[in-house]
Amino acid sequence: MRRKLVVGNWKMNGDLARNRELLGALSTRVPDEVDCAVCVPFPYLAQARELLSGASVTLGAQDVSEFAEGAYTGEVSAAMLADFGCRYTIVGHSERRSMFGDDSALVGRKALAAMRVGLVPILCVGESLEERSSGRTEAVLRGQLDAVAGIVGASSLSKLVIAYEPVWAIGTGQAASAAQVQSVLSFVRGWLADRTPGADDVRILYGGSVKPESAGPLFGLPDSDGGLIGAASLIAAQFLGICEAARIAWQDNVRQFEGLK
Ligand code: PEP
């Protein structure tokens, strides 16, 4: 059975003092039943690694270079992230796609670079409001997913975490409805099943204005394995509340599973 995963995306937020406070609050209070990670800005990886040592919270980055090493000023390689104890890196976040020119081919190359050193890419996909309104949600996601699959190869798809993040729900305070989320997560699961026997092992997250109050229904959906959390990951009480919602959703899954035996 897939464990729930809750990942904080700090974006370009934090400083040494605030990080210490936030990570201090998380390090002892995240429930054991939930996999939890924080994706911190590059300069704070060392600090976060130290503060999380011995804790069950794992570490991630928010982006990675497509290149392995060399004359690429300003880039950070996957091997460097691994060196600092990262387990995950986000690739293809909509802010990078819209503001920094990360197209799906580049996102695929970044995912491949991450996998080559054993990092787990958290691949973000999602549609804009205009794309949803014109009925193109699945076509947009298929395009984003196909492009990445063409680069990493079908046999590597089971090494991804996929985060469905509708662009219109990110940072807007308006999370997608449970019905909207389940419909897309099930589409993504079906897309995976057509390409890899490992489709049932892939964790598919939802991201976009998740709060402790909305997390339970979203994490309890049949194809939902947790969330990618932006703003609420910067407030310890909120992030812990979301982790607790994941724990409860996990317990419900276990009960259902036991009931089926
Ligand atoms: C995100 O940026 O990945 C995100 C989900 O942000 P928020 O939770 O703030 O909408």
Side-chain angles (χ1 to χ4, degrees):
M1 203 170 6
R2 298 182 300 267
R3 281 168 63 89
K4 304 286 180 197
L5 172 63
V6 178
V7 180
N9 171 17
W10 288 9
K11 311 193 187 201
M12 200 172 72
N13 292 295
D15 57 39
L16 290 171
R18 281 188 288 164
N19 302 347
R20 179 172 292 281
E21 201 176 317
L22 177 54
L23 293 173
L26 300 185
S27 60
T28 53
R29 289 162 56 196
V30 164
D32 289 340
E33 297 93 331
V34 174
D35 291 344
C36 171
V38 286
C39 294
V40 310
F42 293 138
Y44 298 124
L45 285 171
Q47 181 201 24
R49 181 190 206 183
E50 192 188 320
L51 291 173
L52 293 175
S53 89
S56 62
V57 181
T58 48
L59 190 57
Q62 300 169 20
D63 192 23
V64 64
S65 178
E66 65 176 299
F67 302 111
E69 189 175 29
Y72 302 103
T73 302
E75 291 284 272
V76 176
S77 75
M80 292 172 185
L81 300 182
D83 230 3
F84 277 89
C86 285
R87 169 152 179 69
Y88 300 98
T89 182
I90 297 171
V91 294
H93 191 279
S94 67
E95 286 153 15
R96 295 220 57 88
R97 289 180 191 260
S98 65
M99 290 189 265
F100 302 102
D102 287 21
D103 60 21
S104 289
L106 175 57
V107 172
R109 295 196 298 277
K110 288 181 172 187
L112 184 63
M115 284 175 175
R116 281 193 168 131
V117 304
L119 294 180
V120 177
I122 300 173
L123 168 64
C124 297
V125 292
E127 82 288 359
S128 67
L129 193 53
E130 193 267 320
E131 288 162 342
R132 171 164 283 271
S133 310
S134 56
R136 285 184 290 139
T137 299
E138 291 188 2
V140 168
L141 262 75
R142 191 179 296 110
Q144 293 171 340
L145 292 165
D146 282 347
V148 171
I151 291 168
V152 304
S155 61
S156 292
L157 291 174
S158 58
K159 295 183 200 146
L160 291 171
V161 168
I162 297 178
Y164 166 52
E165 295 214 312
V167 178
W168 48 272
I170 296 178
T172 60
Q174 193 207 333
S177 71
Q180 287 169 323
V181 173
Q182 174 52 27
S183 161
V184 174
L185 299 190
S186 139
F187 164 77
V188 174
R189 185 82 61 204
W191 178 91
L192 283 165
D194 289 341
R195 286 157 184 82
T196 170
D200 276 342
D201 299 331
V202 178
R203 288 192 284 191
I204 311 178
L205 314 181
Y206 165 75
S209 297
V210 177
K211 299 283 178 285
E213 314 77 69
S214 55
L218 293 170
F219 295 172
L221 296 168
D223 284 296
S224 169
D225 302 309
L228 181 55
I229 317 298
S233 73
L234 297 170
I235 301 165
Q238 291 205 4
F239 193 62
L240 288 166
I242 290 168
C243 290
E244 176 59 12
R247 188 189 68 77
I248 292 168
W250 159 256
Q251 267 187 344
D252 288 347
N253 287 167
V254 172
R255 261 187 237 114
Q256 281 161 14
F257 183 74
E258 297 292 327
L260 290 176
K261 279 205 282 192

